[in-house]
Amino acid sequence: MIPIMAPFVGEAEARAASAVVMSGWLSQGPEVAAFEKEFAEAVGSEHACAVSNCTVALHLALVAVGVKPGHEVILASHTFIACANAVRQCGATPIFVDIDPDTFNLNPELVAAAVTTRTKAIMCIHQMGMPCDMAALLPIARDHGLAVIEDAACAIGSEIRFGNEWQRIGRPLGDVACFSLHPRKLLTVGDGGVLTTNNAEFDQLFRLLRQHGMSVSDSVRHNSRTVIVEEYPLPGFNYRLTDVQAAIGRAQLKRLDDIVRRRRELADGYYNMLSEVPGVKAPQEPAWARTNWQSYCVRLPEGADQRDVMQKMLDQGVATRRGIMCAHLERAYSDAEIRFPLPESESAHRGCILLPLFHQMTDEMQSHVVHSLKEALSEI
Ligand SMILES: *Cc1c(COP(=O)(O)O)cnc(C)c1O
């Protein structure tokens, strides 16, 4: 069976985790601090704050930019449901705007019309690792005084040309970027998240809120020779990452360049092979973006039944996934106000499938995937 994704972990991660266990300090401590420093260096941001997952990172980012009950946040529905959930967790309303069918990302041309007096922020989701059109989105945010949160859950190692310079996603171009370390993404620690920002006050706030609003961390108190009594200036949360996970994360970061390089090689392979499968549209990068190919999303020919193709491929030992979900089509959002039509979001969700792509994938496996897709489509 060829899986949709497989984490690229091994001895280095196992040794790192083991060393932390043997050290006797397992919760947030020196490994988290070191991981944060290395993560910030990897993406080029001034600050990085590690948390339990990307969903809580999005929550903290929204809190930091001041999203409160009554506010609206503009985002795509065509994304993992955690994005809309994080907005709702702040008591705010997600306002869904349609996507560009080529990049699967928020269509900047539709964003300005969605801004109201209640709008507080735009959540730019770098879907499947493909950078959003930040050059078009940032001026809209600036003109309307809106905060910009980048959902970079999938985008570690992706690059964007901004001005005349290529830079990694996460520096960030908006106010805050949020990354995920779930096994479905390029780097994983089981579950984990990171917030990057160049705003020192936001970073301080993230650090306070992730540990119950506590002014002094437990590792600092543990190592102090004088008595320290902590204070709680704000009500916070427990959104901490553990040192065991951070140690794994440090080992994973060392593999990033290698993983991105191999994924790009495999994506090129798909692009070439898929040109021989009639009617299938392979994804392409705009001139200003280099994706990490977190997911490889192909559009099926008109008339092909998504579930049927997926089942036929599964019968051939190939796991696939449906196109990216749409939050507004799920029961959890059946009561949501849908202010704008979302035809491209729905069409991408229903008409696309994700093909397997992982570091350890061989060229033979890839040929088999394309062959099974061709077979599945030959019968329609
Ligand atoms: C995976 C993902 C998330 C959630 O990340 P977790 O770390 O699992 O909470 C959020 N947004 C997008 C776009 C994702 O793909």
Side-chain angles (χ1 to χ4, degrees):
M1 180 61 65
I2 300 177
I4 188 81
M5 179 63 152
F8 186 48
V9 289
E11 280 294 324
E13 285 78 5
R15 272 197 305 272
S18 165
V20 172
V21 171
M22 298 312 289
S23 81
W25 187 272
L26 280 69
S27 62
Q28 178 186 293
E31 287 295 324
V32 167
F35 173 62
E36 290 171 338
K37 192 163 167 288
E38 290 161 11
F39 195 97
E41 274 162 21
V43 301
S45 67
E46 279 174 39
H47 309 279
C49 177
V51 290
S52 329
N53 55 68
C54 184
T55 307
V56 301
L58 290 169
H59 179 221
L60 291 187
L62 291 163
V63 168
V65 302
V67 173
K68 295 198 169 66
H71 285 147
E72 294 175 355
V73 175
I74 294 170
L75 76 164
S77 167
H78 174 271
T79 180
F80 188 49
I81 200 162
C83 303
N85 289 346
V87 173
R88 283 224 169 146
Q89 205 183 337
C90 298
T93 306
I95 300 297
F96 299 126
V97 167
D98 210 9
I99 56 164
D100 171 336
D102 292 327
T103 61
F104 300 104
N105 281 329
L106 204 55
N107 182 345
E109 287 174 20
L110 304 175
V111 170
V115 177
T116 71
T117 52
R118 292 168 175 256
T119 312
K120 187 71 186 175
I122 304 175
M123 189 186 284
C124 305
I125 301 149
H126 304 302
Q127 194 56 253
M128 300 183 272
M130 185 69 80
C132 274
D133 189 354
M134 299 305 287
L137 290 163
L138 289 170
I140 301 169
R142 198 173 46 228
D143 290 349
H144 295 89
L146 308 177
V148 174
I149 292 167
E150 293 176 60
D151 179 338
C154 303
I156 182 81
S158 295
E159 292 148 284
I160 185 166
R161 193 178 67 210
F162 197 81
N164 262 332
E165 191 194 347
W166 283 96
Q167 60 179 72
R168 272 198 172 155
I169 290 295
R171 202 165 156 181
L173 289 164
D175 296 285
V176 186
C178 302
F179 291 87
S180 171
L181 301 167
H182 180 271
R184 186 66 183 78
K185 327 293 181 182
L186 270 67
L187 305 185
T188 186
V189 303
D191 255 317
V194 182
L195 295 125
T196 61
T197 184
N198 297 325
N199 182 323
E201 282 174 29
F202 285 171
D203 184 64
Q204 282 307 309
L205 185 63
F206 301 150
R207 287 165 196 285
L208 199 60
L209 292 179
R210 75 172 165 182
Q211 52 168 358
H212 310 288
M214 193 193 306
S215 61
V216 185
S217 73
D218 14 60
S219 59
V220 168
R221 273 183 290 145
H222 177 78
N223 289 316
S224 175
R225 296 267 151 225
T226 54
V227 172
I228 301 181
V229 178
E230 79 281 12
E231 288 172 9
Y232 298 84
L234 285 174
F237 312 96
N238 181 353
Y239 284 173
R240 285 177 298 222
L241 191 74
T242 68
D243 257 23
V244 182
Q245 293 171 299
I248 296 171
R250 295 180 71 190
Q252 284 275 280
L253 270 178
K254 293 197 179 75
R255 302 189 193 268
L256 178 61
D257 292 347
D258 195 27
I259 292 175
V260 172
R261 184 195 49 75
R262 178 62 182 150
R263 296 186 75 85
R264 287 181 176 161
E265 216 169 74
L266 287 163
D268 285 345
Y270 269 141
Y271 189 79
N272 294 331
M273 285 188 249
L274 287 169
S275 64
E276 283 154 38
V277 187
V280 169
K281 188 165 179 285
Q284 271 183 285
E285 295 163 312
W288 44 265
R290 286 192 199 127
T291 173
N292 62 6
W293 301 107
Q294 181 270 338
S295 285
Y296 197 83
C297 182
V298 299
R299 213 173 272 269
L300 298 174
E302 200 72 36
D305 182 83
Q306 184 193 49
R307 297 293 154 95
D308 185 48
V309 171
M310 291 172 71
Q311 185 60 54
K312 285 190 170 123
M313 291 180 74
L314 195 59
D315 294 343
Q316 297 285 315
V318 176
T320 57
R321 294 288 180 272
R322 61 179 182 165
I324 299 298
M325 67 179 300
C326 286
H328 76 282
L329 297 177
E330 295 296 327
R331 245 198 1 254
Y333 284 83
S334 55
D335 62 340
E337 183 202 346
I338 306 303
R339 224 172 264 176
F340 304 99
L342 303 165
E344 295 297 350
S345 301
E346 293 177 9
S347 143
H349 166 64
R350 298 210 171 98
C352 293
I353 61 169
L354 311 187
L355 301 182
L357 186 59
F358 50 96
H359 186 81
Q360 306 91 318
M361 188 177 201
T362 62
D363 296 351
E364 292 71 39
M365 289 180 193
Q366 192 170 34
S367 302
H368 180 60
V369 171
V370 176
H371 181 75
S372 73
L373 174 62
K374 212 170 174 174
E375 290 273 295
L377 288 171
S378 70
E379 295 160 32
I380 61 164

